[in-house]
Each structure stands twice: as structure tokens, then as C-alpha cells.
Amino acid sequence: MDHFHNNDLEYVVNDPFEDDFFSDDEPQRNDDSDDAMNSDFEDDFVSSKPKTDTSALDARNGKDIQGIPWERLNFTRDKYRETRLKQYKNYENLSRPRFELLKECLEVEKGKTFYDFEFNTRLVKSTIVHFQLRNLLWATSKHDVYLMQNYSAMHWSSLLRRGKEVLNVAKPVAPTRQSPGLLSQSLSRVQISTMAVKENLMVAGGFQGELICKCLDQPGVAFCSKITTGENAITNAVDVYRNQNGSMRIMAANNDAQVRVFDAETFASLSCFSFDWSVNNTSVSPDGKLLAVLGDSAECLLADANSGKVTGSLKGHLDYSFSSAWHPDGQILATGNQDTTCRLWDIRNLSQSLAVLKGNMGAIRALKFTSDGKFLAMAEPADFVHVFDTQSDYLKCQEIDLFGEIAGISFSPDTEALFVGVADRTYGSLLEFNRRHYNFYLDSIF
């Protein structure tokens, strides 16, 4: 992935209201001034008060789900969307001809609603430190969401509608676990570039190669260290998973082309796999046997999760990849790329992708399957989250249309909720959508 010097925590968001009304590019400026998170829209709301929040009832009564006062602006929402689609420039590392790409993409039926808008809050606001990394939001239940807000890891209770700081990495952070051979060290002012929260463990990666592990039911940080000291050492992805023996592991992928595995209980370093290019994303199959490796190459790899030995390659993307997700059945792997597509692969036949899903305007930066495998969520860098019905062979789709940079997406483990983090100076927020259920049994009553 692209490396740039980041001297202080920055906000990576669109800033269209300077010379013209629309943002043209995905990669954003480095700016730690007060204006670094300028909003697409300015209003006189006080964003720290609940009146800025939007409920499902408010939306049904005509309020914009993000609280944007279109009636006070000199253009309509539709006009803004039309112009933004025309002027947005997707970021590319590899400029390859893409004329044939559209022919491969599925023609999907849009307009479906699988998840209904439930609530939007500005009491917690997602922030981003690198424009290519968008895994900064995780739901551990339909009522518990974790996200990065500046130097703070925040917990949001959708039940109480209240936010709480659970970790502050602006201050010095010292590990509470100490044991012989454990290479832990104190850290401070860590710019969190990626995170994962699973099984009561929060794992965060930093802009300078840091790794931080916190047990959610215990005070302090269990483990923290710089796992690599290279100049271009950003931690691009972290994951918490169980290997094929059921033991919990932590995986970190870095820009130094290394993938490192740690024991999730002792935090001891277990293994390190080397690749030929910077690794932007990894994901382990549900059975713990296979490892998907994506990075600064148009080719994606499958490897043995225990040894790191490459067992297969996935060819078809045209640019660098930054996201992946496994279907719960372990047979389908989804990969997201800067060529604006997600490819679906049947691991039993890697000769070509099973299907190609297309975004509207930008790279595919985040992918998540529901735990029951019925839906796949696909996030672009800004404005669009697509939810595909897997049981229709991905031919039916819900398109969530919003404005702002997307910091992360997450389904709740019970599949009942979908959360979307939006980064924006004024309209940065957390959106909640609830799964729609159809009561087919009512038909039998009449």
C-alpha cells in the first residue's frame, strides 16, 4: 500500500466545500489543523448533543438519515449525488486497461431492502488515518460496537445509546502482562490504522508498526509492542481467529511484506511468513486451514495458515487488493480491489473467479459476510455500502446511499444489525441498520 509520512493524527475525509462543491479524489491530504476534517456540509447543529441524532421515525417523517439539511442548501440531494458520481476519481496504483472489466460484472437487481435504517448518532464519530485502510469498526453484538475516534477506541451501546472510551492511545500505554521472552514495550501517541474485536479481545495495529492487545474485561493493555521497526512498517490488517486445533491466534499483516502470528493468550510470537510484496489484508478460513493473502499485487494468494506456504493464486483483479472475507461455509472467498470490484472465488476451482461484483465509483475497501452466510456487505471508500443476497447468487442487492468516507462496516454476530462508520468533520457518525424479517406465516392465517 502507499506510504506517506503522518506526523500527527489526521482525519482522512472529503473536503469538497473549498473551491468547488465536490470532492474529486479518494486519497486525501495530510493535515493536522482544525480544518483537516472539513465537512461536505456545514450547519449550525451542535454535534455533541443528541438532537443531532436521527431515528427511524425521524427518517420516516422526512429527515435525512445523516441529518443533512438539504432544504437549507442551494442544491438537492439528487443533484449532489449526480455530480459527485461524475466527478469522483477512484485511486489507482496500477493503471491498466479496464474496458473488458464491465463485461465480467454481474448485472444485479438493485432496490432491495434487507436491512432497514434504525439510528444514526453523532455522539461517536469514526476517524481514519490512512485512506486505503478501512477496518476500524467492529460489532460484538447488536448492542455493542467498537470504533476508532481520534486516539480513542470507543464503545457504543445501541441499547443505551451511549458512548464510552475503552482505550486511549494518545497517552503512554504500558503492557500489564510480563513474562520471559515476551517482546512487549511501552508505546505512546499510537495512530491506529486497523483493528479487530473478537472473543473479548481488542487488537489494534498502528501507523508505525505497533500492535496493541486489550482484554475487554480487564483494565489496561495486556500486550503492546512495535512488531517491526522498518521505515515503511505500518500495520495494515489484524485479525483474531482460531486455528484448526481450536487455539486462538492473532495475525498481523504489515507493509514490510511480513505476516506475523501470535498466541492470543500468552501473546508470544509463533511464526512469521514473508511475501514478495506489502501485505494489505489477510483472512483465515473458518476451519483455520487456509490463509488469504492480499497486497500490492494484482494477484491474490492462498496459503497454508499453519506454515505460510503458498498453495494457490487468484488471478483476475487489475490493481492492488485491500479486503477479503470468507463465507462461513469455507468454500467461497471474497476479495476487494482498487479496480472497483469484488471477486468471488470457489476455492475448489481457482482457475477463474465465480462472479464479479461492481461498485459505483471507488475501490472495494471492506467486505463482511453475515455469520449465517446469507448476506455480503461491500463498502466503497465513500458514499456506498452494497448488501448482496447470497442465496440469489448475489443477483439481488441493497444499496445504502450516504455521504462521507466509510471507516468500516460490521454485521453483529447474530446478523440482526449492520453498522457503518462515517468519517466527516460535521457529519461523522455511526449508522445502524436492522435486519428486515418477513412474516410469511401470516399468509396461512387468511
Side-chain angles (χ1 to χ4, degrees), residues 198-414:
K198 296 179 184 177
E199 302 199 38
N200 204 42
L201 182 65
M202 173 183 288
V203 180
F207 207 84
Q208 302 298 327
E210 301 95 340
L211 183 68
I212 300 173
C213 303
K214 175 181 174 58
C215 299
L216 294 176
D217 59 352
Q218 298 175 17
V221 168
F223 172 80
C224 57
S225 183
K226 278 194 174 184
I227 58 176
T228 177
T229 56
E231 181 182 353
N232 190 6
I234 184 170
T235 305
N236 293 327
V238 292
D239 194 13
V240 179
Y241 68 98
R242 292 194 176 272
N243 68 8
Q244 59 189 103
N245 297 321
S247 300
M248 196 156 75
R249 299 286 184 254
I250 296 166
M251 183 170 286
N254 286 75
N255 229 37
D256 63 0
Q258 308 285 315
V259 173
R260 297 168 175 84
V261 181
F262 300 83
D263 187 296
E265 294 183 3
T266 67
F267 304 106
S269 176
L270 300 178
S271 53
C272 181
F273 312 139
S274 298
F275 297 91
D276 295 333
W277 26 257
S278 295
V279 181
N280 299 327
N281 179 268
T282 59
S283 58
V284 177
S285 61
D287 62 7
K289 295 181 179 180
L290 290 175
L291 169 65
V293 183
L294 300 78
D296 286 3
S297 171
E299 182 180 1
C300 304
L301 302 176
L302 281 182
D304 182 287
N306 185 50
S307 67
K309 181 182 178 180
V310 174
T311 59
S313 62
L314 313 174
K315 298 179 180 179
H317 281 305
L318 302 178
D319 207 323
Y320 295 172
S321 295
F322 284 85
S323 57
S324 65
W326 289 87
H327 188 281
D329 68 9
Q331 301 298 320
I332 302 297
L333 172 67
T335 57
N337 192 273
Q338 289 186 157
D339 64 11
T340 73
T341 71
C342 162
R343 286 183 181 263
L344 303 171
W345 310 87
D346 186 330
I347 63 167
R348 295 162 295 187
N349 179 13
L350 300 179
S351 59
Q352 63 180 11
S353 54
L354 189 68
V356 184
L357 308 175
K358 182 76 168 62
N360 283 339
M361 64 183 196
I364 306 306
R365 296 280 180 213
L367 292 164
K368 296 289 174 66
F369 279 102
T370 52
S371 60
D372 61 8
K374 292 183 178 179
F375 299 101
L376 169 66
M378 179 179 90
E380 300 186 44
D383 294 18
F384 292 103
V385 176
H386 310 267
V387 183
F388 295 91
D389 175 9
T390 66
Q391 295 178 309
S392 70
D393 292 330
Y394 303 86
L395 291 173
K396 295 181 179 180
C397 176
Q398 174 181 1
E399 189 173 271
I400 298 174
D401 182 326
L402 49 87
F403 290 99
E405 299 289 310
I406 297 171
I409 55 174
S410 183
F411 289 108
S412 60
D414 64 1

Side-chain angles (χ1 to χ4, degrees), residues 10-47:
E10 69 180 56
Y11 303 100
V12 180
V13 296
N14 285 340
D15 188 15
F17 275 8
E18 288 190 354
D19 300 323
D20 57 25
F21 289 121
F22 302 94
S23 176
D24 290 337
D25 299 281
E26 178 190 343
Q28 307 298 330
R29 64 188 184 186
N30 254 351
D31 190 346
D32 52 15
S33 69
D34 290 340
D35 292 329
M37 201 172 174
N38 283 343
S39 172
D40 287 12
F41 314 97
E42 296 294 340
D43 69 4
D44 55 6
F45 291 146
V46 180
S47 62

